[in-house]
Amino acid sequence: MMTEQAAASAASVPQTPTVISAQGLNLVYETSDGPVQALKDVDLKIGKGDFVSFIGPSGCGKTTFLRVMADLETPTSGTVLVNGVPPEVARKARAYGYVFQAAGLYPWRTIGGNIRLPLEIMGYSKPEQAERVQRVLELVELAGFEKKYPWQLSGGMQQRASIARALAFDADILLMDEPFGALDEIVRDHLNEQLLALWARTEKTICFVTHSIPEAVYLSTKIVVMSPRPGRITDVIESPLPKERPLEIRDSPEFLEIAHRVREGLRAGHAYD
Ligand code: ADP
Ligand code: MG
């Protein structure tokens, strides 16, 4: 039982509002080879402004979990709330932007035209579209590239453009599925730094899927370690690292300690088959 003092101090800790909560979440895909349990008994709470990484081997349900939050997949059982409402309601309120592994820019549209597309669909006025395109291009440090075509940009710049597109309609939540997986390490380092800066500036809640332990540890306030068959959460690590993170933090003992715990979690969940 809590002492009066402990209760008083617990009450005085400012509570971060919960943005995403999953409870007893299960998702089974029916396939021609029989059922595949992509998510088993997933419980997770994500607070406002958290940067959460999902890490685990292929097939552990990372993409499925993001797709459930985005209302692209319906769970078999359990509940998910996004901003306190079901994913479908949150989607209609444009609560999230989605960034995929491939930048997915239309080659026949300019960078500005690609970013404008969702705004056109949502019926924003022309001046509002123009103003938003300028603002998000500045956020991802691509000001001046509006009239270029995707093929005129490097892979890293294309990924930044796709992040800009996801930011253009002011979603509070960014869902990012291995956005930097196809990029070389130097470019990835640079984008990781930029993403952290952008996160600090915008106070978005970010859910980020990655295969890379250093990337997960460098970026996250919370690291969710998953394992496959059935897809489940095996560890949730609250990062003690400060919000300000120069790349050199990756050599610090605290960083290496978290990386070690992630690696252990991945190893424990691995079936070696
Ligand atoms: P991850 O993103 O971690 O690699 P996924 O969420 O894509 O994992 O997949 C989890 C499991 O569900 C895998 O076994 C995968 O083959 C299966 N799966 C994913 N999508 C489908 C689908 N649409 N139909 C059937 N099985 C699927
Ligand atoms: Mg995936």
Side-chain angles (χ1 to χ4, degrees), residues 4-17:
E4 237 167 80
Q5 215 174 4
S9 82
S12 68
V13 174
Q15 289 287 309
T16 316

Side-chain angles (χ1 to χ4, degrees), residues 183-193 247:
L183 303 171
D184 72 57
E185 192 135 334
I186 304 295
V187 173
R188 184 193 276 227
D189 278 358
H190 185 55
L191 289 180
N192 281 345
E193 275 185 297
L247 279 174

Side-chain angles (χ1 to χ4, degrees), residues 20 28 30 32 52 95 97 112 124 126-127 155 163 196 210 215 223 270:
I20 292 163
V28 179
E30 296 301 338
S32 52
V52 184
Y124 285 95
K126 282 256 151 47
I163 293 169
L196 268 191
T210 179
E215 186 170 66
I223 302 159
H270 203 293

Side-chain angles (χ1 to χ4, degrees), residues 46-53 196 199 204-206 215-224 236-243 245 258:
I46 296 174
K48 186 168 169 49
D50 262 343
F51 195 125
V52 184
S53 285
L196 268 191
W199 169 69
K204 305 273 179 206
T205 305
I206 300 185
E215 186 170 66
V217 179
Y218 177 67
L219 292 173
S220 316
T221 56
K222 195 197 277 278
I223 302 159
V224 177
V236 177
I237 303 165
E238 303 285 343
S239 176
L241 297 179
K243 221 173 163 180
R245 300 180 186 180
I258 307 165

Side-chain angles (χ1 to χ4, degrees), residues 29 31 36 38 57-65 73:
Y29 291 111
T31 74
V36 173
S58 272
C60 68
K62 305 180 296 293
T63 296
T64 300
F65 187 64
E73 229 44 270

Side-chain angles (χ1 to χ4, degrees), residues 62-63 177-178 209:
K62 305 180 296 293
T63 296
D177 197 350
E178 300 192 50
V209 171

